[in-house]
């Protein structure tokens, strides 16, 4: 029985897209890591709570297939601020978040990094 559960999770991992713009924050990548941890021995992994395992799988399938998005369709694809889904994706991209972090740095810190003889990575060593 563990073998069929393992195969179902593997199939779900294959179908789940990996979003390249969200490095180290992508749900698909986290799902793959968790499945690898949970099924360390592959098909021979003993499952302590099969009901919880099945429930987790069904929940992930509902997320993957947009079950609730389809069940409760929205009238508009914007938020109350008027931001579209594509705008949100662009804002949450890793590159944009790094740029925003750089903008948050104070003037003194930016000047110190610019004129410092050592690189910031060397300071932490």
């Amino acid at each position: 029985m563990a073998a069929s559960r393992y195969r179902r999770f593997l199939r779900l991992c294959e179908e789940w897209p990996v979003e390249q713009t969200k490095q180290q924050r992508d749900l698909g990548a986290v799902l793959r890591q968790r499945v690898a941890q949970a099924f360390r021995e592959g098909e021979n992994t003993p499952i302590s709570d099969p009901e919880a395992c099945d429930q987790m799988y069904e929940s992930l399938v509902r997320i993957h297939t947009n079950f609730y998005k389809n069940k409760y369709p929205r009238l508009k694809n914007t938020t109350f601020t008027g931001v579209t889904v594509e705008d949100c994706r662009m804002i949450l991209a890793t590159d944009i978040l790094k740029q925003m972090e750089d903008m948050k740095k104070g003037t003194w810190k930016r000047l110190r990094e610019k004129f410092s003889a050592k690189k910031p990575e060397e300071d932490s060593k």
Side-chain angles (χ1 to χ4, degrees), residues 84-111:
T84 64
V85 174
E86 289 304 317
D87 292 339
C88 287
R89 280 197 180 114
M90 185 186 74
I91 291 168
L92 293 174
T94 303
D95 298 336
I96 301 296
L97 291 176
K98 284 182 183 178
Q99 288 177 3
M100 290 174 63
E101 284 296 320
D102 290 341
M103 289 172 51
K104 286 182 184 177
K105 290 181 183 177
T107 306
W108 178 249
K109 189 169 186 173
R110 274 189 267 144
L111 284 173

Side-chain angles (χ1 to χ4, degrees), residues 44-91:
N44 299 325
T45 304
I47 297 175
S48 59
D49 191 359
E51 293 173 4
C53 182
D54 292 341
Q55 186 178 15
M56 179 71 69
Y57 174 77
E58 293 301 324
S59 297
L60 289 169
V61 167
R62 283 193 298 271
I63 292 171
H64 176 62
T65 59
N66 292 323
F67 177 80
Y68 292 106
K69 179 183 177 187
N70 297 331
K71 185 174 180 178
Y72 304 106
R74 298 178 64 167
L75 299 177
K76 296 180 181 179
N77 286 331
T78 61
T79 62
F80 72 97
T81 60
V83 178
T84 64
V85 174
E86 289 304 317
D87 292 339
C88 287
R89 280 197 180 114
M90 185 186 74
I91 291 168

